[in-house]
Amino acid sequence: MSAEVNLFSPVKLGTYTLRNRIVMAPLTRNRAGLGNTCGPLNALYYAQRSSAGLIIAEASQISPQGVGFPHTPGIHSVEQVEGWKLVTQAVHERGGLIFLQLWHVGRISHPDLQPHGHLPVAPSAIAATIGMASTEDGERPFVTPRALEIEEIPGIIQDYRHAAKNAIEAGFDGVEIHSANGYLLDQFLQDGSNQRTDCYGGSLENRARLLMEVTEAVVEIWGSDRVGVRLSPSNHYYSMFDSNPQALFSYVVKTLNNFDLAYLHLIEPRSNTDAFNRWVQRDIDPNEPEVGLPCRYFRPLFKGTIISAGGYDKDLGNTVLAAGYADLIAYGRLFISNPDLPEKFALNVHLNSYNRATFFGGDATGYTDYPFS
């Protein structure tokens, strides 16, 4: 990739040509209304950020079983589809492009959020021990989930297929399959959470089977050039681990090449900012081990477009693009507090600081009231 490529260079993404390489990352904000539906406030929030080259809307559960947090939107009911139409119309009216992230949280849920108070499901009956479950009554310890029966797995795939169809009806431009951050598909991938002995456990091929079957189902609905997949190869939150993450995620990334996806979305290792900067600048000692598994590692393995997310500022984003490690850069917290982030980057003006206390839940405060340039 030419060193002249930067955040403001246009780029091809599947069937679309994006005006810049600045992506709004999917951000859980816990502001869905009754029935986990979007409304006018959500539409305004996304419309304000429509100057991004691409918006990836917040993770949205594919079924009632997939719910893991209060007040997060879904994409499985008629009412939810109608709510999302407000969002997509508002973004399109401002010339924006928006994908929806499809989500099932698996074991990270809690009976308080499950239909009829049932246990959450997972590949194996292994509870997460890092983190807490979020409920209407506050945080609670994770429960031991129920292992999915093999006969239930086609139903999970059908839920993804149904959600993908609903995303078309809602007016989205594409979808992203959430297989990161310790949620259901990630739980199937990693042997710390998947100890099955059937065709969905054991070997790399078996543990990746559900992700590939879900991807195939979603691609059948959307076409490959409007589908992305998100992975977090270096995540350990929610007790996630694998005995050989390099082998696992190398296999997953190479196998995803078979789908000719619109993009692969990778979350970078962020053990600390200094380490993150070291690997990006390539001044880390070559004899030292990598800091997690960054996009630089996967660049030779994936044939398509890579989006990289994780603690970027403008300069770091341009550095990664110029080096060719990624093709687009996703921004999360900076987009929360700077709805016109691309314009602010272009003008080199001061960025608004974000208020963590208003990240999750609430009203317009800390959501749609941040000032523009």
Side-chain angles (χ1 to χ4, degrees), residues 289-301:
E290 285 276 19
V291 180
L293 291 171
C295 62
R296 183 179 76 193
Y297 174 79
F298 294 103
R299 177 77 278 178
L301 306 182

Side-chain angles (χ1 to χ4, degrees), residues 19-33:
R19 54 191 166 188
N20 61 57
R21 296 171 187 248
I22 302 169
V23 176
M24 179 180 171
L27 297 163
T28 295
R29 303 301 307 276
N30 301 88
R31 281 174 169 84

Side-chain angles (χ1 to χ4, degrees), residues 192-209:
S193 49
N194 182 350
Q195 296 182 10
R196 300 177 72 96
T197 57
D198 58 19
C199 65
Y200 288 94
S203 68
L204 298 180
E205 179 183 9
N206 283 355
R207 284 183 278 133
R209 188 182 305 277

